[in-house]
Amino acid sequence: MVNSSSTSRKIATMTTSTSPCLGMNEKKHWWLSNRKIVDKYIKDARSLMASQEQGEIASALKLLDAALALSPRLEVALELKARSLLCLRRFKDVADMLQDYIPSLKMANDDSGSISSSDGSQQLSRERVKLLPSDNSDPSFKCFSVSDLKKKVIAGLCKNCDKEGQWRYLILGQACCHLGLMEDAMVLLQTGKRLTTAAFRRQSISWSEDSFSLSSFPISSDISTLTAPPTPPRNLAESESVTQLLAHIKLLLRRRTAALAALDAGLYSEAIRHFNKILEGRRGAPQGFLAECYMHRAYAYKASGRIAESIADCNKTLALEPACIQALDTRASLLEIIRCLPDCLHDLEHLKLLYNSILRDRKLPGPAWKRHKVRYREIPGKLCALTTKIQELKKRVASGETRNVDYYALIGLRRGCSRSELERAHLLLSLRHKPDKSINFVERCEFADDMDIDSVKDRAKMSALLLYRLLQKGYSNVMSTIMDEEAAEKQRKKTAAIQSQQTAQAAAIQSQQAAQNAKMESNPSAAEISGSIRINSNENKVASASSGSTTTSVFQGVFCRDLAAVGNLLSQSGFNRPLAVKFEALSC
């Protein structure tokens, strides 16, 4: 390796020092020597890649870079470099190397070209007569169709499938799968398998039994002149892995399609169930695909009124994709719904910085093949609307609306709920959004490159901690409100019981008085006796008051031989009060 690199440096210095007026033979000599060096680099790279060790593959990649520096369009060197990058899990480098073959990027370029050409033609024909009405103008946005994508890709591949290597589609398809570009990966892998099978079939047909004849065999003993018979694909393990990967991609796409269809139809619980199959499955999924599914499930949670779950999914999306515009916008709108204005302002300020960086760089964040739900030409208008909204929220914060947080909407309860409903909802939310469990989704995520997984976990844990604290604060606030309502209800019940008791007593007294009056009307003698008793008791009270004595009034009755008759008369008159009687010695 050292000898080959030193030789290449010597050759480079000699070629640069040589004058451009060399003869034809000397130019041919230097070209042949470069070709030999490139062949040696490729041979050494093959031997290093056969070991399947990361260090050896990295060394082979350096050799291939040196070979491509001498021969930039050498197909074998390009293939080996793409395979080495795939083995090193540098999927972004593979996509950057072969981005011209990514179907969605190619379609986007075609659509933008057609739109720009149509705009130019409209500008040129402003003064001409309009042959078509304005309603038939093509819209600027077109839905993504996998069938149309297949047709375009296959139509482009049938023309130059022999000129360009078939390896591009299999390697690029695997890289796109790990990057989360599932539709592109499915189209590329299916196309690569189809082209490989067709090439092998053509090679097998050329070596059929009918094509053999005696004249085709050499008469001499030089058997080496015979061409070797066709062989199956060189790596059956790779073919099997591609088949399994393609089946997994199709399963994920079917589930996501079903979830999106349910979401569009308004069946939010059904959409959440389908997204749960993807996000909580046994087999992991690529980082970009999981971030997209978390974002869609956040939309479903928001539409169904589950604010806390929607915020949690936005937090996971931002942990995987910190520059996701949709996640920032959605989380800010959710915080505005529950009137948590300081956190909402924080997200909107972050979004404003992101818009300013896009306008400064004059491109959307990330590589060219990365998908975005927003277009570059929409950024200036969104930035103006965002600035106005930030100013309005700052005015609301200055007026003192920060303490009016709707914790009922955050927890998902109705106003006037019971203590048991609050405790049940709080328990479920606490178990689901506990900060220690908020990083478990990272284990099911397949990262595109050797990114810092610890930073992803830190972002997820920090955002989950903020949400958990907000839930605890909401639980305390709602619980204090419920306790106040219970105390007020208890006091109200006590007051109502006292009033009902007083009403019952008054009704009983009235009924007793009515019964007494009825009895007195029916028995006038008893009424006279009770009246005389009352008069005597009043006279005694007046006498005791005038004498100043504090003793109780004593009823002194006259002597009567038949006391039983007097008691009977008193009971009939309704005189039930106790009487203090002064007993004296009686003699009959």
Side-chain angles (χ1 to χ4, degrees), residues 7 17 89 187 300 387 415 441 449-450 489 537 559:
T7 306
S17 62
R89 298 186 62 83
V187 172
T387 305
R415 293 189 176 273
F441 75 99
D449 52 5
D450 296 333
E489 182 68 19
S537 63
F559 175 76

Side-chain angles (χ1 to χ4, degrees), residues 546-561:
S546 61
S547 62
S549 64
T550 57
T551 58
T552 59
S553 60
V554 178
F555 292 88
Q556 295 181 358
V558 294
F559 175 76
C560 185
R561 293 181 181 274

Side-chain angles (χ1 to χ4, degrees), residues 50-71:
S51 62
Q52 297 295 325
E53 295 181 1
Q54 298 292 321
E56 300 294 334
I57 294 175
S59 302
L61 184 60
K62 294 179 180 178
L63 289 175
L64 293 171
D65 289 335
L68 288 172
L70 296 175
S71 180

